[in-house]
Amino acid sequence: MVHHGSLFLRSFIASLVMIMPVIATPTPASPAYQLQQLGSSSSSDDWQKYIRSPSAQIIYPQSIVVNGTLGNVTNADGLLTGHGKTILTRPAPENGSAADSSIPTIIVDFGQNIPGYLSIKFGGAYNSTPGLPGIRLAFSESIQYGYLTDVSDFSRSDNIAVKSYPYTWTDIHGCEYSDQVCADGIHGFRYVKIYMDALDSDAPYTSNYGAVSIDSLSLNISAFLGTPDTFTGWFESSDDKLNQWWYDGVYTNDLCTDVLDANSTDPRNAASPGMLGKLVILDGAKRDRLPYIGDLAVSARTSYLSHDVPEATRNVLADLANHQRADGWIPPASINNYTLLLLDYPLWWIACTYDLFMYTGDTDFVVTYYQTMINVLDDFYPAITDNTTQMITKGIGSSGSYGDYAFINRSGPITYLNALYVIALDNAASMATYLGHRQDAARWSARSMVVAAAINTYNFDSSVGAFFDGSCGDTYCATHAQDGNSLSILSGAANVTRATSALAYLAAHNARFYGNAFYDNDVVAGGYSQRVYTFISYFEIEARFKTGLADSALEEIRRLYGWMEANDPGITMWEGIGQGGQPYEGAFTSLAHGWGTGVVPALTNYVLGVMPQGPGFSIFSVKPIPGDVQWAKGVVPTPHGPIYVAWDSNQAVGLFYLSVSAPTGTKGAVSVPVGNSSVPVYVDNELAWENNGHAYAATYENYADAGYVSVQVEGGDHVITAGYSI
Ligand SMILES: *[C@@H]1O[C@H](CO)[C@@H](O)[C@H](O)[C@H]1NC(C)=O
Ligand SMILES: *[C@@H]1O[C@H](CO)[C@@H](O)[C@H](O)[C@H]1NC(C)=O
Ligand SMILES: *[C@@H]1O[C@H](CO)[C@@H](O)[C@H](O)[C@H]1NC(C)=O
Ligand SMILES: *[C@@H]1O[C@H](CO)[C@@H](O)[C@H](O)[C@H]1NC(C)=O
Ligand SMILES: *[C@@H]1O[C@H](CO)[C@@H](O)[C@H](O)[C@H]1NC(C)=O
Ligand SMILES: *[C@@H]1O[C@H](CO)[C@@H](O)[C@H](O)[C@H]1NC(C)=O
Ligand SMILES: *[C@@H]1O[C@H](CO)[C@@H](O)[C@H](O)[C@H]1NC(C)=O
Ligand SMILES: *[C@@H]1O[C@H](CO)[C@@H](O)[C@H](O)[C@H]1NC(C)=O
Ligand SMILES: *[C@@H]1O[C@H](CO)[C@@H](O)[C@H](O)[C@H]1NC(C)=O
Ligand SMILES: *[C@@H]1O[C@H](CO)[C@@H](O)[C@H](O)[C@H]1NC(C)=O
């Protein structure tokens, strides 16, 4: 891996220095003066204080869990560096069967969720009979599962036969004796329970008594170590919580960015030869530790916007495309020899390929896998399309047996699948256009319009003002899902009237204190109205920004991410949240899942406001949607160089300041919010708009309850102001 972080930072600072002096300073009392303090008022690397990554690859325990110590333990604090030895002692069984409370136990807290290989430095052991004292380990991301007996959460347990002499044991997958006394290898966890015990099946090598001395513990982190010098993009705003969640999201995603290793994936048959030894984005730090296409729709964006490792995404998309089935279907993951049947992930493959193209400019990938895309769109989905409605209809052919990102048992013309089809068709048409395949582009665009119209004709429930989910027999089920409503808006199928109505419906019926549920009720399955998927919630948050409802987008972000931040393990973002705000699948739930990091692209794309509009940001757009955020600044990495944006708002008095520094050769539309079309807008002090366009091809559009003036600029440094000149 090659990182350009520090080089890049220096050039960014240099570019800032170039921008600032050209701005004339208004009188300190004026609102305009206050707006312009942005880039200069705080140091340019202030954002680094939010970074969660440890600074080194080897880390040590932070504390001993207060009520986690049981049995005869001498100096539990000895497991903390520099606190002496810890001794666990358990009497021999001949003195009667030991009660559970006599099992010497210590629970160690590493302070934050993180995957790696644990090492224990043993000072020696004592046992009076043949066999060695057994130490067992149980790992957990959350302390509520940390007290369980042997496996804590989903992690399998580790077993150690402690030698009589001092040595360091490291958690490498494998067994000490043939198939006995086995360790699991990597674990994603925050807490580890260490206790003296032995499996019957490990006899005669271990026994559950004796004395063991431990000098120290350490963890060798196995994940992308996101230290400050590795950041190629960053974000900062007037809202400290939003800032912290942006970096928490990056941290979570970094924990999922690792080299795929046969011993560290989900235990199912998933060690894909095509990805082994390569950098990938896994779904979760604890499990499945396996790459999935759909998850990348969120996690790859987080990755592109924070670190220069596009290969982590590309390696996954390439391997799964290489396993495309003859009928055009693409497996969602390597699990069970590429046979897990999901109906939506081939469409996410197209959306993710489009993102790879737009964020990193990887034309070679699109050219190489162009036929893969044709097979998906022209073979697989037409074969499960109802040719009367033109909608993908689950139930045609063998599609009824397929699952989706949440294994939802639903059927018929599912809104989510068809809206995602519209997105994939449009993305494919855009890629086809760039590659000069005009007929493909025209065919896919035309089909996209037909499917979008069908969604509106057949799937809208006028009685409540939201889209139906799918069918129950001959009629639509009386249920409305977050996924279909959100993607209908993002795909553009829903016009602004329907988008506003559908989002109001979700706010009224799906909002829970820990996020927005993926269903409004339990018609499809019990508990669905209480379950929040961080994955699909991102698309609702996006839909809110896209519809101009910044306040409700930020409100949903604060509810969802505020809940995860406030609950164990803290910092990392969960796979899903269930009834009462608990991990939705109990101990099995991954509490560090890349697909839960949508707060990162949401804030960069909509609050900072930077989006790619052409391959590799060759064309970009900057359109801040501030809500109650007062200012934001940050960098978006592109293959042409960084785009730096800083904006400050005093919309109460109708003023907005935005500076953008984009690489030479790129161009884009910069949009600033204005109260009405008579507000003047200046580009580098030249009047661009006032009641009508004067320069920079300025245009005005109504957008929710605000208006925006857009100007077209070339790469270079520009200052755009609304309501005042500088
Ligand atoms: C330890 O304390 C935590 C919270 O303080 C509590 O939830 C848990 O039940 C306690 N566990 C034991 C084994 O006492
Ligand atoms: C605990 O173990 C130590 C030896 O490691 C021993 O000296 C002590 O007596 C034991 N305490 C109890 C209460 O059994
Ligand atoms: C078992 O109990 C006897 C009598 O109380 C005691 O002398 C002996 O030390 C105990 N053994 C162990 C291993 O604790
Ligand atoms: C994988 O596990 C096997 C035993 O199952 C072990 O021999 C090998 O060293 C492990 N490889 C790694 C990279 O840990
Ligand atoms: C940590 O793990 C890495 C990768 O497995 C290895 O190269 C490195 O030597 C380990 N560091 C220590 C101190 O064991
Ligand atoms: C995986 O599937 C392929 C294609 O069906 C087959 O050739 C191969 O033998 C399978 N591998 C395993 C390990 O089952
Ligand atoms: C719908 O029409 C397309 C194009 O003619 C065809 O490929 C597909 O098989 C048809 N779908 C079904 C379910 O018959
Ligand atoms: C799926 O739902 C149908 C009814 O729509 C029901 O008959 C079937 O048993 C359900 N399948 C599962 C696996 O729950
Ligand atoms: C949105 O679509 C609906 C249904 O086609 C239509 O009634 C409504 O007028 C449209 N709204 C706008 C603003 O176009
Ligand atoms: C337009 O907005 C400006 C700045 O807020 C305000 O001064 C002006 O009165 C508004 N004009 C109209 C027609 O609303």
Side-chain angles (χ1 to χ4, degrees), residues 397-418:
S398 63
S399 64
S401 62
Y402 284 54
D404 56 28
Y405 69 93
F407 296 96
I408 303 167
N409 181 16
R410 51 184 168 179
S411 62
I414 297 164
T415 304
Y416 160 68
L417 273 179
N418 283 284

Side-chain angles (χ1 to χ4, degrees), residues 197-400:
D197 200 11
L199 291 173
D200 290 344
S201 58
D202 282 345
Y205 299 109
T206 58
S207 67
N208 61 5
Y209 66 94
V212 165
S213 162
I214 301 177
D215 289 334
S216 63
L217 300 182
S218 64
L219 185 74
N220 188 344
I221 299 170
S222 178
F224 183 91
L225 199 66
T227 48
D229 58 309
T230 64
F231 277 72
T232 49
W234 55 268
F235 172 86
E236 196 177 359
S237 76
S238 57
D239 187 315
D240 207 49
K241 288 276 189 196
L242 296 180
N243 299 345
Q244 189 59 66
W245 295 332
W246 196 92
Y247 294 89
D248 289 357
V250 171
Y251 176 69
T252 301
N253 213 51
D254 288 350
L255 299 190
C256 302
T257 306
D258 205 343
V259 173
L260 192 75
D261 162 67
N263 291 343
S264 69
T265 65
D266 185 279
R268 292 167 287 186
N269 177 16
S272 159
M275 287 188 274
L276 278 180
K278 293 184 179 169
L279 192 71
V280 296
I281 302 182
L282 308 164
D283 62 338
K286 173 177 75 176
R287 56 141 274 272
D288 300 338
R289 294 194 61 80
L290 194 66
Y292 284 85
I293 295 171
D295 304 51
L296 292 176
V298 180
S299 60
R301 286 184 181 177
T302 299
S303 177
Y304 302 144
L305 292 171
S306 58
H307 290 119
D308 184 22
V309 287
E311 68 271 29
T313 299
R314 192 170 52 227
N315 288 336
V316 177
L317 294 177
D319 182 57
L320 295 168
N322 291 341
H323 288 85
Q324 184 172 41
R325 218 166 49 190
D327 67 354
W329 177 81
I330 299 176
S334 58
I335 191 164
N336 288 331
N337 196 17
Y338 301 91
T339 59
L340 176 69
L341 298 176
L342 299 188
L343 204 49
D344 49 345
Y345 279 33
L347 295 171
W348 283 123
W349 184 90
I350 292 176
C352 289
T353 296
Y354 184 64
D355 278 355
L356 179 73
F357 187 50
M358 298 301 274
Y359 281 82
T360 77
D362 193 340
T363 307
D364 286 351
F365 186 89
V366 181
V367 169
T368 303
Y369 290 100
Y370 190 75
Q371 185 62 43
T372 307
M373 190 158 74
I374 293 178
N375 300 343
V376 169
L377 292 177
D378 291 348
D379 291 347
F380 183 68
Y381 288 102
I384 57 167
T385 294
D386 176 335
N387 283 322
T388 308
T389 62
Q390 297 302 324
M391 297 178 82
I392 295 175
T393 302
K394 190 179 170 199
I396 295 178
S398 63
S399 64

Side-chain angles (χ1 to χ4, degrees), residues 90-92 94-95 209:
R90 190 175 176 186
E94 64 256 28
N95 281 4
Y209 66 94

Side-chain angles (χ1 to χ4, degrees), residues 65-70 107 143-144 147:
V65 173
V66 173
N67 61 355
T69 303
L70 301 171
I107 301 176
I143 191 62
Q144 68 175 309
Y147 297 103

Side-chain angles (χ1 to χ4, degrees), residues 7 63 121 145 149 322 324 331 341 346 437 459 462 485 538 549 557 571 575 580 595 638:
L7 182 67
S63 63
K121 191 176 175 201
Y145 307 116
T149 52
N322 291 341
Q324 184 172 41
L341 298 176
H437 301 293
N459 283 28
S462 309
N485 280 285
Y538 162 62
L549 305 173
I557 285 175
I571 302 180
E575 184 180 23
W595 82 1
T638 89

